[in-house]
Amino acid sequence: MKNEKKYHGVVVPMVTPITKEGEIDTEAVKRIVDNFARHQVSPLIMGTTGEGNSVSTRQGAMMIAAAKEAAAGRVTIYAGLGGNCIEEQMKAAAEYIKAGVDVIAATLPSYYTLTPEQMEAYYTNLANFLSIPLMLYNITITTHMSIPLDVIERLSHHPNIVGLKDSENNIPRLVEALKMFAEREDFSYFCGCAANSAVSLKNGADGIVPSVGNYLPKMYQDLYLAGIAGNEAEAERLQDLTIEIGKINTVGLTLGESLAGLKVIMKMVGLCEEYMLAPLTELKPEVADRIRQEAKPVIEQYCC
């Protein structure tokens, strides 16, 4: 069995629960985080699934405080940091730290295409500024940039950079990265592409970051435990199952629509409402109805 590093396990990119008035639904935040913690699963607040770039600093701090209260020390609280204005990012990070976040996971500023040197400088400066650990967050689908592995390797030796959440769907890159980092006790690798969870754990990943874990945290915790125990058959079985389940709120939809579809399912299990932060919107009734119909047997069989 793989030895677990300080930062490890299932980290779910949590949806951002919203009230009809467009405010953070802190009671829903507490319900979701409590459900995670009961299955030893941590939240990543304000990631892509959490509509991170639409959440204000004030709202983000509210979410972190509510999550921290609900977690009650049972799990690690991660928070995403995005945006294009570095000064505003620094202010937001300071507020999130006051609210109690444990680790910041930062994506690249993405209005301009950055050179590798600029990427490295950005993360170095941010790590120097933060008083809590920093995790690198590579997600090409939104930033349209890939952080080169040699840049990550150099950054991995910074004393305040503790890991990488890599959401790039690239198996050769994943395998190469794990050759570099799997045995590093001071640097954790999290697979952010849920469909590659089993293969990443087989190659030594420290954790997985699955959005469907918002309502099926136990299934992903079981997948993680099978993976680190070397039970490849069970990990692959759960991987195939989660891929099929994930299609319910993704097939034929844009990324933003898939997030709205996820909230449709979250409402079905009593965890949050379907409201979205602008510019995203709720789904058309016929699309939401299709998702409810397909999700119902999954919820009845697997959700807890």
Side-chain angles (χ1 to χ4, degrees):
M1 178 178 287
K2 179 180 173 63
N3 291 328
E4 291 183 325
K5 301 175 189 176
K6 180 176 181 179
Y7 300 103
H8 67 272
V10 181
V11 178
V12 175
M14 193 178 107
V15 300
T16 295
I18 301 299
T19 66
K20 186 177 181 180
E21 294 72 32
E23 190 50 271
I24 300 297
D25 186 341
T26 54
E27 292 306 309
V29 172
K30 293 175 185 178
R31 286 195 299 272
I32 295 168
V33 172
D34 180 67
N35 190 43
F36 288 169
R38 287 190 293 109
H39 298 290
Q40 296 82 55
V41 166
S42 292
L44 167 61
I45 298 167
M46 293 176 290
T48 302
T49 303
E51 306 165 71
N53 281 336
S54 299
V55 178
S56 70
T57 297
R58 176 187 63 83
Q59 291 173 321
M62 287 175 60
M63 284 188 68
I64 291 166
K68 192 76 172 179
E69 179 183 342
R74 292 175 289 172
V75 293
T76 302
I77 306 297
Y78 299 79
L81 184 69
N84 293 308
C85 175
I86 304 304
E87 181 179 354
E88 292 300 320
Q89 278 194 338
M90 300 296 192
K91 290 178 180 178
E95 291 301 312
Y96 298 162
I97 292 168
K98 286 181 185 178
V101 70
D102 298 309
V103 179
I104 292 287
T107 58
L108 289 170
S110 57
Y111 187 84
Y112 301 105
T113 299
L114 304 180
T115 66
E117 293 77 15
Q118 290 168 333
M119 295 178 190
E120 187 170 350
Y122 165 72
Y123 280 118
T124 299
N125 292 335
L126 182 58
N128 289 340
F129 170 81
L130 293 176
S131 59
I132 63 170
L134 171 65
M135 185 166 287
L136 314 177
Y137 186 169
N138 183 56
I139 179 164
T140 55
I141 194 172
T142 59
T143 66
H144 309 290
M145 290 178 283
S146 175
I147 308 171
L149 290 181
D150 63 325
V151 171
I152 294 169
E153 199 283 328
R154 288 193 295 274
L155 288 167
S156 73
H157 297 284
H158 190 290
N160 203 35
I161 295 177
V162 297
L164 166 69
K165 174 187 181 289
D166 200 339
S167 298
E168 186 169 338
N169 187 6
N170 183 331
I171 296 294
R173 172 188 166 95
L174 180 155
V175 172
E176 184 62 28
L178 285 167
K179 288 178 182 177
M180 299 167 69
F181 305 124
E183 301 304 320
R184 285 273 303 277
E185 291 300 320
D186 60 340
F187 191 79
S188 297
Y189 180 98
F190 286 79
C191 177
C193 182
N196 297 335
S197 296
V199 69
S200 73
L201 294 168
K202 178 181 178 180
N203 282 276
D206 300 291
I208 55 177
V209 191
S211 63
V212 174
N214 272 280
Y215 66 98
L216 293 176
K218 183 180 184 301
M219 184 176 290
Y220 277 99
Q221 178 68 354
D222 289 345
L223 194 164
Y224 167 74
L225 292 174
I228 64 170
N231 188 346
E232 294 179 20
E234 178 63 4
E236 288 292 345
R237 183 187 73 82
L238 291 168
Q239 179 73 90
D240 292 343
L241 179 58
T242 57
I243 287 173
E244 287 304 309
I245 291 172
K247 292 177 182 178
I248 294 172
N249 68 289
T250 58
V251 170
L253 301 178
T254 66
L255 176 57
E257 289 172 328
S258 75
L259 304 183
L262 182 55
K263 284 189 180 178
V264 169
I265 302 172
M266 293 289 281
K267 182 174 182 179
M268 293 176 69
V269 297
L271 289 171
C272 74
E273 296 295 327
E274 299 177 19
Y275 306 116
M276 303 293 291
L277 285 168
L280 298 182
T281 58
E282 293 80 57
L283 294 174
K284 294 178 181 178
E286 61 271 21
V287 178
D289 287 343
R290 189 270 299 168
I291 289 175
R292 292 186 193 100
Q293 182 178 357
E294 294 182 12
K296 187 173 185 292
V298 171
I299 291 169
E300 290 174 349
Q301 185 171 358
Y302 299 112
C303 196
C304 57

